[in-house]
Amino acid sequence: MPEFQNGLCSCFNNIGLCLVTYFAPCWTQGKVGEAVGDDCLMCGLSVFVPFLDLWARASVRGKVREQKGIEGSFIGDLCLGCFCYFCTLNQEAQEMNVPVPWEASMART
C-alpha cells in the first residue's frame, strides 16, 4: 500500500505552506477539503467550532487517504487530528499539492 509522500513531521518541506497552516489553518483546511470534493468554505469554517474541527479533520484526512489509496482508519485519523493537528493538516495539504495563497493563480476571463 502507498504511504503519504511527506512524513507527519515534514512540515518544513514547504515552509510557505507551513506558515500559512500555522497562522491560518482555516485556509489550509478549506483548500484540502476542496481538493477532496468538499465545500471549501464549510471546511475552513469548521476549524473555529470545537469538536467539529476534529471530526472534519478526520473526515477530510480519510478522503485524502481514500483518493491516494493509503491505509488507515477514522479512529487513527481522529487521534492524529487531536494530537498533531497542524502536522496532519500540513501533510494532507502537501499530499494534495495545495498551493500557498501567493502561488495560487486565478483564471481570468
Side-chain angles (χ1 to χ4, degrees), residues 36-55:
V36 296
D38 288 345
D39 183 73
C40 180
L41 180 63
M42 295 308 289
C43 286
L45 290 176
S46 71
V47 170
F48 298 107
V49 182
F51 301 111
L52 175 62
D53 62 336
L54 299 175
W55 178 84

Side-chain angles (χ1 to χ4, degrees), residues 55-77:
W55 178 84
R57 291 282 331 108
S59 177
V60 169
R61 186 171 179 85
K63 290 177 183 179
V64 169
R65 284 189 302 95
E66 185 179 304
Q67 282 189 8
K68 300 293 183 169
I70 300 170
E71 279 189 33
S73 68
F74 183 82
I75 297 298
D77 294 340

